[in-house]
Amino acid sequence: ATLQSWKALERLLDEGRVKAIGVCNFLEEHLDRLLSETQVVPVINQIELHPYFNQKPLLRKNKELGIVTEAWSPIGGVKNYGNWDSYGGVKDPLAEGAIVAIAWAHDKTPGQVILRWHMQNDVVAIPKSTHAGRIAQNIDIFDFVLSAAEMAQIDALEAGMRAGPHPKDVDTGSFAEHLE
């Protein structure tokens, strides 16, 4: 079904009815299969990405293929759902000691530090907020730069903590129920 859908998207692109096409939650092997059987490289791959799940191999693959990586739940709202018990309870990237210390050193918020980390990793991060003050903070990340050591500190928080479902576990057959 995914290949058929992608080929339909390629037709829409060829006909000029859309400007770009992309994918969501594609792993390296998904990209390999897609590109072996289709013509167009996705423009974007939207994936779960945060300090506890930084997916460095997938970031490299996307970059090699010229695919923009977009992070969903980039600041840490991901902490509010999913089963974290196997990781020792709920963890909050916004309260993580290394991130808080970096934020303090730059006179920024932990959320700003995480967004800057994404930016310096060439990741598009579009955080969700309903609070005007936080929306303003989220855009105010262009007046500081994280050092290589600070980037490494955040990278070291990688714990394999996936909060959303594993892409291999998603039952696309259930999607039809929502289309009726």
Side-chain angles (χ1 to χ4, degrees):
T2 301
L3 289 173
Q4 291 170 327
S5 297
W6 188 256
K7 288 178 181 182
L9 289 171
E10 285 181 325
R11 280 193 301 278
L12 292 173
L13 185 66
D14 189 49
E15 294 167 1
R17 296 171 65 190
V18 297
K19 302 246 183 225
I21 55 178
V23 295
C24 184
N25 295 319
F26 268 47
L27 302 175
E28 295 94 322
E29 63 260 27
H30 298 137
L31 292 169
D32 289 340
R33 178 162 182 232
L34 182 73
L35 297 176
S36 73
E37 299 186 36
T38 63
Q39 302 300 310
V40 178
V41 175
V43 171
I44 196 163
N45 185 9
Q46 184 186 52
I47 61 173
E48 179 178 354
L49 188 66
H50 48 82
Y52 297 140
F53 193 59
N54 65 34
Q55 300 212 62
K56 291 295 185 181
L58 182 53
L59 285 177
R60 282 190 292 278
K61 178 76 167 187
N62 285 343
K63 188 172 217 151
E64 287 168 11
L65 294 171
I67 299 171
V68 173
T69 300
E70 180 183 344
W72 58 259
S73 199
I75 291 182
V78 72
K79 73 185 185 309
N80 295 323
Y81 55 89
N83 181 357
W84 294 82
D85 290 339
S86 60
Y87 301 109
V90 173
K91 290 183 70 154
D92 182 354
L94 296 173
E96 186 67 52
I99 292 173
V100 171
I102 293 167
W104 187 83
H106 289 279
D107 195 27
K108 293 293 180 180
T109 67
Q112 289 171 312
V113 167
I114 293 170
L115 289 172
R116 185 67 201 192
W117 171 76
H118 282 296
M119 188 176 133
Q120 287 181 225
N121 277 318
D122 295 323
V123 172
V124 174
I126 304 174
K128 174 201 160 286
S129 183
T130 57
H131 303 290
R134 268 188 251 141
I135 293 168
Q137 285 176 349
N138 289 345
I139 195 67
D140 187 22
I141 62 168
F142 299 98
D143 61 347
F144 74 107
V145 176
L146 299 174
S147 69
E150 291 168 330
M151 291 291 288
Q153 281 182 284
I154 299 170
D155 287 346
L157 297 174
E158 165 61 43
M161 293 176 76
R162 181 186 294 280
H166 193 290
K168 292 179 181 178
D169 296 336
V170 175
D171 176 15
T172 58
S174 66
F175 294 169
E177 297 169 15
H178 301 289
L179 298 176
E180 296 175 354

